[in-house]
Amino acid sequence: MKKILYTLVIILFIVGFSGVCSADNEKDVSADSYKYDYEDIIIKRGNENEKVVALTFDDGPDEVFTPQVLDILKKYDVKATFFLIGEKVPYNKSIVKREQEEGHEIGNHTYTHINAAKKSKAEIESEVTKTQEAIKEITGEYPTIFRPPYRALSRDLCQVVKDKNMNIVLWSNIDVRDWSNPGVNSIVNTIDNKVENGNIIILHDYNTVRNNKSQTIQALEIVIPRLKEKGYKFVTISELMEHLDKK
């Protein structure tokens, strides 16, 4: 009898544990399931059949580094996309205007670089809206693209962005983590070795390390000519989306 009871206890434990694991797995799946509802607005790459790449710069405008980035882009006749922090915009109006006048695309990167996955819908709405207004005041246009800091997404964020008729722009297989100052060679080699057709490459025109030239800027002077030699064309995000392959 004791053996039977012992066996029943073991069976119940296994069944119960399996049920918990199953519930946890279902919870994990459902936690991200909202992303399927917003696939049409989330952009991770361009068409893999086209030899194009999109350089994107986060966390500006910066009074020191952004003009240097713009000088390099102008030198090589390259167009890029800048995702701006809203609170920095009023202090760097001439830089934002220059970005627009030189043919670059401007996107929204929240007002204070928040982690949207940890914020309420009202807070997200405020951050996105304030940045939209700050940029429009200078460019005369609302941005149509948004990049979430930390790549952090939530259902509320996706809905706010969708309600504003914007696209969420992430990045492809290349994240050089240039903000962490990994070394110029590290930035160059990562891009050079991993670049693929349709890549969205994330870089930064802001750095907490203040010097004459950031590692990003030094790397750009090598990367851009090298990618051109490989036959890549540089495009803005909107240009990339014109022939979008969302796979």
Side-chain angles (χ1 to χ4, degrees), residues 3 8 26 38 41 43 47 54 76 86 88 93 97 136 141 146 156 158-159 166 180 226 237 242:
K3 287 185 177 180
L8 285 173
E26 288 176 5
Y38 298 97
I41 67 167
I43 312 301
N47 195 322
Y76 292 105
K88 296 182 179 181
K93 293 182 179 180
K97 193 64 178 174
K136 183 178 185 293
E141 302 172 349
F146 172 86
D156 285 338
C158 290
Q159 190 58 52
M166 303 169 74
S180 67
R226 190 169 293 182
I237 292 298
E242 289 176 5

Side-chain angles (χ1 to χ4, degrees), residues 56 58 147 150-151 170-180 182 186-187 190-191 194-195 199-204:
T56 64
D58 288 8
R147 172 169 284 162
Y150 314 108
R151 203 181 176 114
L170 302 179
W171 53 91
S172 308
N173 60 309
I174 301 178
D175 180 2
V176 298
R177 298 174 65 84
D178 56 326
W179 52 268
S180 67
S186 174
I187 297 171
T190 300
I191 295 174
K194 292 187 176 183
V195 66
N199 273 172
I200 298 173
I201 300 172
I202 178 174
L203 296 163
H204 297 77

Side-chain angles (χ1 to χ4, degrees), residues 35-82:
K35 293 180 183 178
Y36 295 107
D37 299 330
Y38 298 97
E39 280 185 317
D40 59 324
I41 67 167
I42 298 177
I43 312 301
K44 298 178 182 178
R45 66 180 306 123
N47 195 322
E48 296 176 5
N49 296 318
E50 293 187 78
K51 208 170 181 66
V52 295
V53 293
L55 292 180
T56 64
F57 297 90
D58 288 8
D59 297 353
D62 183 90
E63 66 277 9
V64 175
F65 297 132
T66 305
Q68 294 182 58
V69 171
L70 290 170
D71 287 345
I72 295 171
L73 297 177
K74 186 175 183 179
K75 176 181 177 180
Y76 292 105
D77 191 25
V78 165
K79 305 306 177 190
T81 302
F82 292 83

